[in-house]
């Protein structure tokens, strides 16, 4: 059933593709560690009651993520302090030098645009700031992440895994960064690129295009990278990384496995989402 591709291969000359820093594993690893550290100090700004039954019904029937149902957005005070910490961590990297010119007042409305997935607004802002679009998106995502995670933690009691099964996050509506496959039962959970909520998804369906024809779906594994696989769809030419574990998986865990991306791109696949 699944396609198997040959194991490890030389990938050095592909490293120049894509986005400088974010394609550079040692720097990304160091950066991920620093960001994880400052995230841990985030106080958790959201205070929310668990979702009520009538809203859970609305959430499922209207296929609306929780933040949309509750019209929930961060207040500037939720982001302000963290912005200072984030800027300090990111600025030394060339990819984020555009931050020198940005004040919090410029950035706060764009964080909301990111939350609402207003791609055009963000593109224009990135261009105006002279920033690489991917770096700019990375920055906005990391600015929002602690707030989104703290909101998600409080809203997860309203998730109904068996009834959602969609390709966007039931909490914030963003696209998955990848997936986790349970070790024994083999259930597949998609992992939100923003709030890191995981939700159940069909194992034999492409999360990009909904294709469930098994002859065009497959995966490959790589020798030396245990407990990971790359799942792909030949119909829409998309791939995503899947950790095979019973432990929680963060977006950085997914992103740091750059070698799998290089192999998948080398096979002509594009990453899931394209947010
Ligand atoms: Zn989410
Ligand atoms: Zn597909």
């Amino acid at each position: 059933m699944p396609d198997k591709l040959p194991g490890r291969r030389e990938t050095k000359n592909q490293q120049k593709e894509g986005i400088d820093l974010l394609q550079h594993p040692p720097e990304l690893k160091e950066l991920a560690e620093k960001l994880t550290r400052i995230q841990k100090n985030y106080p958790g700004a959201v205070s929310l009651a668990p979702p009520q039954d009538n809203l859970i019904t609305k959430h499922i029937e209207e296929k609306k993520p929780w933040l949309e149902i509750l019209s929930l957005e961060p207040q500037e005070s939720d982001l302000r302090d963290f912005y200072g910490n984030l800027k300090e961590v990111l600025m030394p990297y060339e990819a984020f030098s555009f931050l020198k010119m940005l004040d919090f007042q410029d950035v706060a409305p764009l964080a909301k645009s990111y939350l609402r997935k207003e791609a055009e607004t963000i593109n224009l802002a990135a261009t105006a700031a002279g920033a690489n679009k991917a770096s700019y998106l990375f920055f906005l995502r990391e600015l929002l992440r602690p707030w989104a995670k703290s909101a998600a933690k409080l809203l997860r009691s309203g998730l109904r895994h068996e009834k959602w099964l969609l390709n966007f996050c039931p909490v914030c509506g963003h696209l998955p960064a990848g997936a986790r496959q349970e070790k024994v039962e083999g259930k597949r959970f998609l992992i939100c690129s923003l709030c890191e909520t995981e939700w159940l998804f069909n194992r034999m369906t492409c999360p990009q295009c909904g294709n469930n024809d098994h002859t065009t779906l497959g995966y490959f594994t790589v020798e030396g990278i245990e407990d990971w696989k790359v799942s792909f769809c030949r119909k829409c030419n998309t791939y995503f990384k899947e950790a095979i574990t019973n432990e929680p998986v963060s977006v950085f865990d997914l992103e740091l496995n750059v070698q799998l991306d290089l192999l998948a791109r080398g096979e002509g696949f594009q990453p899931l989402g394209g947010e």
Side-chain angles (χ1 to χ4, degrees), residues 46-63:
V46 183
S47 113
L48 285 171
Q52 301 294 306
D53 284 350
N54 61 329
L55 286 183
I56 292 176
T57 307
K58 186 176 159 79
H59 159 73
I60 298 294
E61 285 178 356
E62 296 181 14
K63 299 181 170 46

Side-chain angles (χ1 to χ4, degrees), residues 169 171-174 192 194-197:
C169 174
V171 171
C172 74
H174 280 245
C192 177
L194 176 60
C195 76
E196 295 187 340
T197 294

Side-chain angles (χ1 to χ4, degrees), residues 97-103 106-107 110 119-133 136:
S97 55
F98 64 89
L99 288 174
K100 285 179 198 136
M101 308 300 286
L102 287 188
D103 287 332
D106 306 325
V107 163
L110 289 162
E120 197 47 40
T121 308
I122 294 168
N123 283 347
L124 290 171
T127 308
N132 172 305
K133 189 183 145 205
Y136 205 83

Side-chain angles (χ1 to χ4, degrees), residues 136-194:
Y136 205 83
L137 286 170
F138 182 97
F139 156 67
L140 289 176
R141 185 192 75 183
E142 291 312 314
L143 175 62
L144 270 174
R145 192 195 301 287
W147 176 85
K149 277 172 78 170
S150 68
K153 212 168 156 185
L154 298 166
L155 292 167
R156 272 178 208 153
S157 63
L159 300 193
R160 298 294 178 267
H161 282 283
E162 301 289 342
K163 292 185 177 168
W164 186 260
L165 302 169
L166 298 169
N167 67 349
F168 58 92
C169 174
V171 171
C172 74
H174 280 245
L175 294 174
R180 176 176 78 84
Q181 183 188 310
E182 274 188 344
K183 264 188 166 170
V184 181
E185 279 191 62
K187 282 183 183 170
R188 170 190 279 174
F189 294 90
L190 298 180
I191 298 159
C192 177
S193 55
L194 176 60

Side-chain angles (χ1 to χ4, degrees), residues 57-121:
T57 307
K58 186 176 159 79
H59 159 73
I60 298 294
E61 285 178 356
E62 296 181 14
K63 299 181 170 46
K64 279 191 181 160
W66 279 111
L67 295 186
E68 197 181 320
I69 287 198
L70 299 170
S71 306
L72 204 62
E73 289 193 337
Q75 301 298 309
E76 291 199 356
S77 57
D78 293 332
L79 303 175
R80 190 185 297 274
D81 289 349
F82 189 70
Y83 173 72
N85 297 339
L86 182 63
K87 196 167 172 176
E88 205 171 295
V89 168
L90 293 181
M91 270 214 308
Y93 298 88
E94 179 61 32
F96 300 103
S97 55
F98 64 89
L99 288 174
K100 285 179 198 136
M101 308 300 286
L102 287 188
D103 287 332
F104 179 71
Q105 294 308 325
D106 306 325
V107 163
L110 289 162
K112 291 185 185 179
S113 293
Y114 183 91
L115 192 65
R116 298 188 211 117
K117 294 174 284 180
E118 294 166 352
E120 197 47 40
T121 308

